Amino acid sequence: MSPDILLSSGQFTLLGGIFSGPTGTEFAVVIVLLIVGLIGLIFAMKSYFNKQSTKHLAQKYADSHFLEVRSKYPEADSFRLSGTFFNLGLAIAVGISALAFGVTQYEDKIFIPDGALVMDEDIEIEPPRTAEPPPPPPPPPPPVIQAVPDDLVPEETPVFQDQSIDDQTEVERPAPVADAPPPPPPPPPPPKEEETEIFKVVEQMPRFPGCEDVGGTEAEKKQCADKKMLEFIYKNIKYPAIARENGVEGTAVITFVVEKDGKVTDIQIVRDIGAQCGQEAMRVVELMNSQNIKWTPGKQRGRPVRVQFNLPVKFKLE
């Protein structure tokens, strides 16, 4: 019965036993030792042939006739070991190839606390203020009524004239007026201001990149994006030394706005547990812009909008 052999990620399973291939560091050490050994072998063979050349080989083979067709003495002929060196080089090449294929690469273990996206308590977060229109101008002051002095009131009684007309009355028509030019066209409407409203909840919430090509429902894509985001956060976060020394644990909350183009702006610390934990969580969020990471923007009624995102970051000592 032939043994079962499984090759996966540099691990060999043979007869129920697991043998891990060398790591990258071990492989580099082997290569360095091999190079040192080859250099030592070269110097050793060079010293050997130098010693052979100092002997009186000409007197030893003075009466030999086979040297007429040879250029070197047998003791100083390096070509007689060509087969041995060829086999040695072939064995070294095959060995290096086997070690290279068997190198085991270990992925960085990322510790993600349980319930990393669950907040311990509801936090009232005031949305960032948007540009507000200017206040309307104040109303004009009421007109001032001034009393007219009695001496300015005319004492003459007004005379009324009869303005009635009949069919015999001649009416003077005014002279014709030249055609007035057409009124100018109305001014164009002012350009529509870009919508700056910031939403808290939309039909399609913003997602961390990396799951755009994943099939399935929106909920499955959101779950995949949350996993990618947590891996990014907890891979780059560094537990502050002062917090580790004082045993500070807890959840810091960072709020930011995911813009229509996927950039992260208006990053703020909403809740800080102290000992530089809030600043560290904020630094990791700002790292998204440094690494040019663009989110999939949130959408409302099929169009991208600005969405406020609240991110809890848990600090827990292992």
Side-chain angles (χ1 to χ4, degrees):
M1 183 176 180
S2 61
D4 230 0
I5 301 178
L6 173 64
L7 173 62
S8 175
S9 300
Q11 292 186 344
F12 301 88
T13 302
L14 178 62
L15 295 176
I18 299 179
F19 302 93
S20 298
T23 62
T25 304
E26 295 173 348
F27 181 72
V29 171
V30 171
I31 295 298
V32 171
L33 293 177
L34 183 61
I35 293 175
V36 172
L38 290 177
I39 294 176
L41 179 61
I42 292 173
F43 279 100
M45 295 306 298
K46 183 178 180 181
S47 175
Y48 170 76
F49 286 116
N50 287 336
K51 291 180 179 179
Q52 293 295 331
S53 61
T54 58
K55 297 180 180 179
H56 302 288
L57 298 179
Q59 297 178 2
K60 180 179 179 181
Y61 294 99
D63 299 333
S64 299
H65 302 285
F66 74 94
L67 293 176
E68 296 176 358
V69 294
R70 294 181 61 87
S71 59
K72 294 185 178 181
Y73 299 108
E75 288 81 355
D77 186 10
S78 60
F79 289 100
R80 62 189 177 91
L81 300 176
S82 59
T84 303
F85 286 119
F86 176 80
N87 294 332
L88 177 62
L90 184 62
I92 292 175
V94 172
I96 293 176
S97 301
L99 287 176
F101 280 110
V103 170
T104 303
Q105 295 182 351
Y106 296 98
E107 297 182 355
D108 296 335
K109 185 178 180 181
I110 303 175
F111 173 73
I112 300 177
D114 297 334
L117 291 178
V118 179
M119 295 189 185
D120 300 336
E121 57 185 11
D122 295 335
I123 301 176
E124 292 294 334
I125 301 175
E126 182 182 357
R129 294 185 178 181
T130 57
E132 299 179 357
V144 178
I145 301 176
Q146 296 180 355
V148 179
D150 295 338
D151 55 352
L152 297 180
V153 177
E155 297 180 355
E156 298 178 359
T157 303
V159 178
F160 296 96
Q161 296 181 358
D162 185 11
Q163 299 289 335
S164 60
I165 61 174
D166 55 13
D167 55 350
Q168 300 298 327
T169 304
E170 293 184 1
V171 179
E172 296 182 0
R173 296 182 178 180
V177 181
D179 295 338
K192 186 177 180 181
E193 295 183 0
E194 184 180 358
E195 188 175 348
T196 58
E197 183 180 0
I198 298 176
F199 295 85
K200 284 187 175 181
V201 179
V202 291
E203 297 173 355
Q204 180 179 327
M205 293 296 289
R207 298 193 304 263
F208 193 80
C211 298
E212 288 77 12
D213 299 332
V214 176
T217 62
E218 290 294 328
E220 293 175 347
K221 291 183 178 180
K222 184 69 169 59
Q223 184 179 4
C224 173
D226 290 344
K227 181 180 179 182
K228 295 282 187 182
M229 179 185 64
L230 291 176
E231 289 177 354
F232 173 83
I233 293 294
Y234 290 99
K235 179 181 178 181
N236 293 282
I237 203 163
K238 298 177 181 178
Y239 213 111
I242 186 173
R244 186 182 297 275
E245 293 173 357
N246 293 276
V248 177
E249 294 183 349
T251 302
V253 181
I254 306 297
T255 181
F256 52 87
V257 177
V258 179
E259 299 289 343
K260 297 179 181 180
D261 59 354
K263 290 188 64 176
V264 174
T265 61
D266 199 13
I267 306 171
Q268 298 178 7
I269 303 174
V270 177
R271 187 173 70 179
D272 192 1
I273 59 176
Q276 300 180 357
C277 292
Q279 290 81 354
E280 177 62 19
M282 186 175 179
R283 182 193 67 83
V284 176
V285 175
E286 291 174 344
L287 197 62
M288 298 179 187
N289 289 333
S290 302
Q291 297 185 4
N292 198 25
I293 295 177
K294 297 293 186 66
W295 285 54
T296 300
K299 292 185 179 180
Q300 181 73 6
R301 297 179 181 178
R303 56 187 178 85
V305 293
R306 305 174 69 196
V307 182
Q308 183 181 15
F309 194 93
N310 304 323
L311 175 65
V313 180
K314 292 193 173 183
F315 290 85
K316 186 178 179 66
L317 293 172
E318 299 181 6

